[in-house]
Structures are given as C-alpha cells and as structure tokens.
Amino acid sequence: MKITDVVCHILQSKVEKPFVSARGWVYSTRASCVVEISTDEGITGWGECYGPAAVAKSIVDTQFKPRVIGKDPFDVEVIWEDLYNRIKDYGLSGMTISAISGIDIALWDICGRALNKPVHKLIGGAYRTEVIPYATGLYFIDMNRLTEEAVEEALEFKADGFRAIKMKIGLGDLKLDAARVGAVRKAIGPDIKLAVDANHCFSVPNAIKLGRMMEEHDLLWFEEPISPEDRDGYIEVSRALDMAVAGGENEFTRWGFRDIVARKAMDIVQPDLCAAGGFSECRKIAALASAFGVECVPHAWGSAIGLAATVQFLAALPDQPPAFRPMPPMLEFEQTPNPLRDHLATVPIALRNGVVPVPGGPGLGIEIDRSVLLKYKVA
Ligand code: CA
C-alpha cells in the first residue's frame, strides 16, 4: 500500500457562550486541523493536529506532505522518525510535533482499517472495553456568578452520569478559588471525583499555598499549577503537596517528557495524542512514565478525531499500577460546546451509564461525516 495524498482541512465553529480559563483567553471559536491521508488501495485515514490550525496545515503542506507521499503507511514509525529528523533543527517541540501527530494518527487509522481492527488491537490490545471519563468544564463565563455557575454545571455533569469532574481554577484570588472548589465539592458530595486545573497561572509559593487550602476537598489532582518551563518548580510543588500534581499537555515527544518523568516533577503526565507525537510517540512516553512510576493520563481537547484517538490509546494503556481493584487511567471528556467533537463522527464518542464504550470498528473506530466536515471547513 502506498500513500497517495495528504490533505489538511481547517474546521471552525463559533462558540455561542464564550468562556475563559485562568490564562484569560476568551474561547469564542473552536478550530481544528484535520488531516486526511489517502492510499492507492482506497483506504483513507484521519488524524488531527493540536494548536493553531493554520500553522499545523502550513507545516504539513510545506514540510511533510512531499516526504510522506509514496510511503507505505505500515512504516508508521519509520515515517515518524523521518519527519522528526527533517524538522528537528528548528522544531524540537511545539507545532512541528503537532503536525507530525496528525499524520501519525491518520497512518494508524489506515493500518487499522487495512487490517479491519481497531487501533488499540495494534498497539498492545484491549486492557479495557470501556473507559471512565471525567468531564472537563467549569470555566469562567459569568464573572458575577463564578461560584454559582460552577456548582450548577457540576451538578449537571453529575446528573448526566459523570463519576469525575475537572474544574478550572485561577481567579487571581486564592481564597475565592478555594471557596469555589469547596462549594463544588459540597454540592457534588464525596463520591464524585474532583480535579482542578489552573492552566499554569500560579507562582510556586501560591500554588503550594492554594494546594494546602484545597487539600480538605479530596482532589484527584492539581493540574498545571505553575508554568510548564519551570521543572524545578514542579518538583517543589509536587513534593510540598499531598495531592497528585499533573501536567504535560504542552510538552512534546519522549525527549520532552524524559526529564519530567525521570525527576518525578509530576505525579501524572498528560501527553496529548494530537500534540505530543501521535500514537507512536505517546506509547513511548507512557512506557517511559511506567518505568519511573509516574502515571500517564492523556490530555484531550479537540474534534471527534482527537477524542477517538485518545479512547483507542486509553484502551491499550495498562492500569498504573496493576491491582485487584485498579484505578484505570481516565478519559478527558471536555464538555464545552463543540460541534466538531459532537457531530464530525457519524456515531459520536458518547457517555453511556457513566462510561465511554471503546469503539470496536476498524482504525479509530469512527466514520467521518463529510457533510459535517464541509459545513465547518474554512480552508
Ligand atoms: Ca489542562
């Protein structure tokens, strides 16, 4: 089999109720760079790149596409290494790796479709047939009702059947953050797991101070307490707090994660399939984490393609550590309005009785609805 074409589609949709995280970015549109790879056997694979879609498209179109055409999609890791070596002099991390990720995911999709097997059967097998999702939400929308709106949204997630929720924090007032987390914990009760995500807005002392203030609320993890470049800072925060510290959504490749993992700067690393290097690289990152006793729980933020890839990856990720009653790695199931996540697949990845069944169809296990693709395609 030979690759005959690589096409990047930029999809974009408007967000009706714009929302804000601790970084202060207003999310008023959702966009995605979707990669479609065709072959001479009529099999098409789909991938997705994290980050600014036009940048990803430009890198794929100008740097990678000519190197990929004519190759055998089953040489997926050979292709990965070739693309990385092509770009690393000026792109060791960041958008260049996101661009490789989209290609890698599409190639694994093709391999699965060619063999009529879901990707998780090709990368180790099914440790599980369903994954437990956590709802990501509780952003800042109405600045006058920050606590009330968080409580209301958390209760909606609980009513939907979610067993775990991740809320945004980082309001510039540690007491307000702690009180808001406390209000959500009180509302959802002790049995729903609760994580917090600061989108790296705190200094080391404030992260430690807030972590201690939140400790009584039984948190699953404290995500991105501080800026990702400050690895020594992560070590300080992780050692100071009893709760787990997570991060890594903005880290790339096995080399990017190597020192974080080896120094145990975080308790949980969160590579994104669509950013850190696709299936090929995230498997290596997970193996690295396992060797150092660090958990790997992928980050996910994107369209149905990125979500499906994450579900396939999680299906093949061992319990960390194995146990009679394990705590399996959870799926980040982001819940802000996004038609690209909900409608791009003919059968969407969905919550059923508190879990997300792992699709058993070939490749990523989803089929792309081309009418939806065209509806949101802007380039
Ligand atoms: Ca995050």
Side-chain angles (χ1 to χ4, degrees), residues 110-131:
I110 290 171
C111 295
R113 287 170 188 275
L115 298 170
N116 199 26
K117 295 272 186 198
V119 169
H120 70 267
K121 291 286 187 184
L122 310 184
I123 59 170
Y127 284 96
R128 53 193 67 81
T129 56
E130 55 190 35
V131 293

Side-chain angles (χ1 to χ4, degrees), residues 281-294:
E281 199 63 7
C282 286
R283 289 182 71 209
K284 297 180 174 85
I285 294 163
L288 193 62
S290 163
F292 286 87
V294 171

Side-chain angles (χ1 to χ4, degrees), residues 162-218:
F162 279 104
R163 301 171 193 175
I165 296 168
K166 186 169 83 187
M167 64 184 291
K168 294 290 167 176
I169 58 170
L171 291 165
D173 177 342
L174 302 188
K175 284 192 183 124
L176 178 57
D177 270 325
R180 185 165 163 274
V181 172
V184 169
R185 168 52 83 204
K186 185 159 177 259
I188 60 176
D191 296 332
I192 305 287
K193 292 186 166 80
L194 181 63
V196 297
D197 183 357
N199 291 99
H200 53 75
C201 76
F202 293 117
S203 64
V204 169
N206 278 339
I208 292 171
K209 193 170 171 189
L210 178 58
R212 288 184 181 140
M213 289 160 78
M214 296 189 299
E215 223 134 49
E216 61 175 309
H217 303 311
D218 186 22

Side-chain angles (χ1 to χ4, degrees), residues 46-341:
W46 297 91
E48 178 172 2
C49 311
Y50 181 70
V55 179
K57 176 177 166 57
S58 164
I59 296 170
V60 172
D61 286 351
T62 63
Q63 305 301 309
F64 294 156
K65 178 176 171 172
R67 295 186 81 82
V68 168
I69 288 178
K71 299 262 173 72
D72 179 348
F74 278 92
D75 287 333
V76 49
E77 295 201 21
V78 180
I79 293 170
W80 196 103
E81 295 288 335
D82 178 62
L83 299 183
Y84 180 73
N85 285 317
R86 166 75 187 81
I87 209 80
K88 73 174 176 182
D89 283 0
Y90 32 82
L92 282 173
S93 72
M95 288 307 295
T96 51
I97 310 301
S98 285
I100 296 177
S101 304
I103 292 170
D104 184 83
I105 292 167
L107 294 180
W108 280 103
D109 190 23
I110 290 171
C111 295
R113 287 170 188 275
L115 298 170
N116 199 26
K117 295 272 186 198
V119 169
H120 70 267
K121 291 286 187 184
L122 310 184
I123 59 170
Y127 284 96
R128 53 193 67 81
T129 56
E130 55 190 35
V131 293
I132 299 173
Y134 68 86
T136 291
L138 282 67
Y139 284 80
F140 320 139
I141 301 169
D142 182 345
M143 296 301 153
N144 299 314
R145 298 184 70 253
L146 288 166
T147 298
E148 294 89 334
E149 71 181 8
V151 166
E152 288 160 10
E153 195 179 335
L155 289 174
E156 280 172 32
F157 290 145
K158 185 181 179 183
D160 290 343
F162 279 104
R163 301 171 193 175
I165 296 168
K166 186 169 83 187
M167 64 184 291
K168 294 290 167 176
I169 58 170
L171 291 165
D173 177 342
L174 302 188
K175 284 192 183 124
L176 178 57
D177 270 325
R180 185 165 163 274
V181 172
V184 169
R185 168 52 83 204
K186 185 159 177 259
I188 60 176
D191 296 332
I192 305 287
K193 292 186 166 80
L194 181 63
V196 297
D197 183 357
N199 291 99
H200 53 75
C201 76
F202 293 117
S203 64
V204 169
N206 278 339
I208 292 171
K209 193 170 171 189
L210 178 58
R212 288 184 181 140
M213 289 160 78
M214 296 189 299
E215 223 134 49
E216 61 175 309
H217 303 311
D218 186 22
L219 298 181
L220 194 56
W221 67 69
F222 188 171
E223 180 169 322
E224 292 208 287
I226 63 166
S227 199
E229 310 89 339
D230 186 5
R231 293 185 180 170
D232 289 317
Y234 268 92
I235 294 172
E236 283 184 62
V237 177
S238 298
R239 300 292 183 276
L241 297 179
D242 288 343
M243 68 179 71
V245 170
E249 69 187 70
N250 27 40
E251 197 50 79
F252 303 82
T253 78
R254 77 199 85 148
W255 300 286
F257 278 92
R258 178 185 57 200
D259 294 342
I260 293 173
V261 166
R263 299 175 71 199
K264 297 193 97 159
M266 299 165 188
D267 302 290
I268 300 166
V269 287
Q270 301 170 303
D272 190 304
L273 268 285
C274 302
F279 287 107
S280 300
E281 199 63 7
C282 286
R283 289 182 71 209
K284 297 180 174 85
I285 294 163
L288 193 62
S290 163
F292 286 87
V294 171
E295 278 183 76
C296 177
V297 182
H299 171 262
W301 171 268
S303 79
I305 295 168
L307 185 61
T310 309
V311 171
Q312 292 292 334
F313 182 77
L314 278 166
L317 196 61
D319 293 324
Q320 312 166 84
F324 168 51
R325 285 182 169 157
M327 295 169 73
M330 286 194 295
L331 169 69
E332 174 158 29
F333 201 173
E334 180 261 308
Q335 294 291 306
T336 58
N338 185 359
L340 306 178
R341 180 195 61 229

